[in-house]
Amino acid sequence: MEACDLGLIGDASSTHSLPTMSGKHTDLPTIDSSTMSSLFDSSSNFTIIDCRYPYEYQGGHIQGAINIYTEQGIQTFMESRLHSTKNDILIFHCEFSSHRGPKLMRFLRSMDRKQNSHRYPELNFPEIYLLDGGYKAFYQHNKVQCNPQAYLPMLHEDHSKDLRHFRVRSKSWTAGEKRTRSRRVIRSPY
């Protein structure tokens, strides 16, 4: 049974400090928009990681969120916090928290486990969450906590060129480097 299933944070040292809910990604601790909103009035240290493409982020984002949309960006973020003594709560999201946010959240957890394999189960980022419904759901209920107070969908027609550019960069998850594919040869049985 996973620590998440028991209500424990990633290193199993304590329970989640935020109320979690069942979401689309059952392996990821998930919070709702009202929980996210209430963090602004709390004394909790938290970092919001917006995994949408830069044009989406610039079109409106949660106050204080940082924009990271590639694995390289996550690695750079982790390196910048390597010697930090404060344990921030990390909250990931993308437009709907369906694909990009969960994928980068899992990548961070995987890299954190790898970096700390010599001292398992300790982690540099033990408490991470996914924002249910992503930016779209948060924006619908909390516009005043967004900057600017706007929502730009990924598929907005004015940004089709941007979408192609950033999708190529993030699809490879190596900021534009191309992967090689092996081809399978199918031989005829005749």
Side-chain angles (χ1 to χ4, degrees):
M1 187 171 269
E2 294 289 318
C4 178
D5 298 335
L6 301 172
L8 300 175
I9 63 173
D11 63 2
S13 64
S14 65
T15 57
H16 294 287
S17 62
L18 302 178
T20 60
M21 58 174 284
S22 297
K24 178 181 177 182
H25 301 275
T26 56
D27 61 318
L28 302 177
T30 303
I31 61 170
D32 63 22
S33 292
S34 63
T35 299
M36 175 74 246
S37 179
S38 68
L39 282 174
F40 290 100
D41 298 325
S42 75
S43 59
S44 298
N45 291 323
F46 64 96
T47 300
I48 304 163
I49 300 177
D50 186 329
C51 303
R52 296 176 302 148
Y53 299 135
Y55 68 91
E56 295 172 274
Y57 174 83
Q58 291 163 3
H61 57 270
I62 300 172
Q63 291 174 359
I66 58 174
N67 186 215
I68 303 175
Y69 64 97
T70 63
E71 286 183 354
Q72 180 60 48
I74 292 292
Q75 289 173 330
T76 301
F77 170 78
M78 291 176 73
E79 290 165 7
S80 73
R81 302 280 182 99
L82 198 55
H83 301 292
S84 176
T85 55
K86 75 175 185 179
N87 275 338
D88 276 1
I89 293 169
L90 301 183
I91 300 156
F92 286 76
H93 75 86
C94 54
E95 185 173 9
F96 306 109
S97 289
S98 293
H99 182 71
R100 295 174 286 172
K103 191 168 191 165
L104 287 177
M105 183 175 168
R106 287 183 183 107
F107 178 75
L108 179 130
R109 174 59 81 227
S110 173
M111 293 303 297
D112 201 6
R113 285 261 183 246
K114 189 175 179 180
Q115 287 176 355
N116 291 289
S117 62
H118 64 286
R119 56 188 197 131
Y120 181 84
E122 291 184 38
L123 295 166
N124 295 324
F125 305 96
E127 195 163 7
I128 60 177
Y129 298 93
L130 182 66
L131 176 60
D132 188 58
Y135 182 73
K136 183 177 183 184
F138 185 83
Y139 175 75
Q140 287 174 339
H141 304 288
N142 304 284
K143 288 181 177 94
V144 296
Q145 292 173 323
C146 298
N147 183 26
Q149 291 182 12
Y151 164 55
L152 182 68
M154 179 180 78
L155 299 176
H156 192 281
E157 62 187 25
D158 293 346
H159 292 276
S160 58
K161 184 177 177 184
D162 294 327
L163 175 60
R164 283 190 302 276
H165 170 76
F166 291 114
R167 190 171 264 173
V168 166
R169 289 190 70 197
S170 64
K171 282 280 188 197
S172 70
W173 292 114
T174 56
E177 295 175 16
K178 292 185 178 182
R179 290 184 179 176
T180 59
R181 288 188 171 184
S182 60
R183 293 194 176 171
R184 198 172 100 194
V185 177
I186 299 174
R187 296 176 194 244
S188 171
Y190 301 105

